[in-house]
Amino acid sequence: MSTRSSVLTERDLGALGQNIRRWRKLVGWTSEIAAERAGITRTTLRAIENGESVRSESLMSVLSALGIAAAVIQSTDPLNSDLGRLNAERMLPQRVSARR
């Protein structure tokens, strides 16, 4: 398996990083304040905002500090999509019998 990121992945990480930077600025935080509240270094925050690879724990810490972690998690729930709900309904049993 290749360790190189695809162009699409790099683009998406860059867009995510830009969005995080915008959120940070919207709440009026400097990078120093955001890093401190997230429990990470400014170098790690800079990497996140620049779309570079970081530990998922670091990314989630920043999302939590900004108050948007729940929205990000919710947006990835397959049951919040038409396709996910459709497939879930298909997979549910037609009948449920009582245990004996």
Side-chain angles (χ1 to χ4, degrees), residues 26-91:
L26 281 171
V27 298
W29 290 351
T30 64
S31 58
E32 185 175 352
I33 291 170
E36 182 179 312
R37 293 194 178 181
I40 61 174
T41 64
R42 285 178 56 200
T43 302
T44 300
L45 178 63
R46 186 178 311 114
I48 291 169
E49 291 184 352
N50 288 332
E52 299 169 14
S53 294
V54 296
R55 291 180 29 225
S56 55
E57 292 88 352
S58 299
L59 176 60
M60 287 307 298
S61 293
V62 172
L63 296 174
S64 293
L66 291 169
I68 59 173
V72 171
I73 293 167
Q74 188 75 7
S75 72
T76 61
D77 184 344
L79 295 180
N80 289 330
S81 72
D82 292 338
L83 179 62
R85 285 188 297 274
L86 178 64
N87 284 330
E89 287 177 15
R90 288 180 184 164
M91 295 186 335

